[in-house]
Amino acid sequence: GQQLNQSPQSMFIQEGEDVSMNCTSSSIFNTWLWYKQDPGEGPVLLIALYKAGELTSNGRLTAQFGITRKDSFLNISASIPSDVGIYFCAGRGAGGTSYGKLTFGQGTILTVHP
Amino acid sequence: DSGVTQTPKHLITATGQRVTLRCSPRSGDLSVYWYQQSLDQGLQFLIQYYNGEERAKGNILERFSAQQFPDLHSELNLSSLELGDSALYFCASSLAGADTQYFGPGTRLTVL
């Protein structure tokens, strides 16, 4: 089945630093999504990407849909304490049995020191 | 607030028991998805319903079942519960099958 490798597993940074994380897949995805999850809460959608090569921003967050359609990147600029949480990438494959099904990465735990 | 509601927020039960988790999708969304999140497994897709019909199945155990009702709310039934079933269970909804999924706040199930 489809597998997503998300890295790094965790990051400890100082407030104000930039952050980069990425996901790679063993197969092609048609959609890449990035979510953030706070403790005890459900994942919240940050950015959705629908086209290879697409670069999309949401405030201090920027994500890209890799050209090969097998990877995606998320960057956070000038981190602040409220950026703390777990960031998940998720990909959706083509139609057929995988229609609608999201495959999630294992998550990147971000800690921001003031 | 994503607009997806889940009840109950917490559930504590014993092994061998059966529980039902409930989800109401965002207004207008036709698709409902169920996910299980445990510490060592991350977010695992269980099952998807679209307008009352099962659309896709993931790693859902035979002890688990789900359905989507005519008013589009969904229920996830977990039976013969085991300690390893303790996890967060999330529901998500989307307008249709290929649209962005919005997650509910989750139900934390503890099996003792």
Side-chain angles (χ1 to χ4, degrees), chain A residues 1-6 23-35 70 72 87-94 97-107, chain B residues 33-36 41-46 56-59 101 103:
Chain A
Q2 295 169 330
Q3 293 184 345
L4 281 185
N5 292 313
Q6 184 172 350
C23 272
T24 57
S25 168
S26 57
S27 55
I28 289 172
F29 283 120
N30 288 340
T31 302
W32 282 97
L33 305 170
W34 285 93
Y35 288 87
K70 291 186 176 182
S72 180
Y87 291 79
F88 290 98
C89 63
R92 179 187 294 117
T97 57
S98 66
Y99 183 78
K101 172 188 170 183
L102 286 180
T103 301
F104 279 82
Q106 290 299 96
Chain B
Y33 312 78
W34 286 97
Y35 292 87
Q36 179 191 56
Q41 292 289 324
L43 270 162
Q44 298 290 320
F45 169 73
L46 296 177
K57 222 167 184 176
N59 301 321
Q101 295 177 25
F103 282 76

Side-chain angles (χ1 to χ4, degrees), chain A residues 36-39 81-87 108-112:
Chain A
K36 183 192 176 199
Q37 185 177 23
D38 292 327
S82 62
D83 290 334
V84 165
I86 305 176
Y87 291 79
T108 294
I109 302 171
L110 179 64
T111 304
V112 180

Side-chain angles (χ1 to χ4, degrees), chain B residues 68-79:
Chain B
Q68 185 180 28
F69 294 87
D71 67 352
L72 301 177
H73 90 271
S74 178
E75 293 181 356
L76 179 67
N77 299 297
L78 313 177
S79 61

Side-chain angles (χ1 to χ4, degrees), chain A residues 37-56:
Chain A
Q37 185 177 23
D38 292 327
E41 303 290 330
V44 174
L45 182 67
L46 299 173
I47 292 179
L49 303 159
Y50 300 105
K51 189 176 174 182
E54 181 181 353
L55 186 70
T56 298

Side-chain angles (χ1 to χ4, degrees), chain A residues 59-79:
Chain A
R60 294 177 295 105
L61 277 63
T62 302
Q64 184 163 24
F65 193 141
I67 292 291
T68 65
R69 294 169 63 193
K70 291 186 176 182
D71 57 8
S72 180
F73 306 87
L74 176 70
N75 296 313
I76 305 173
S77 63
S79 59

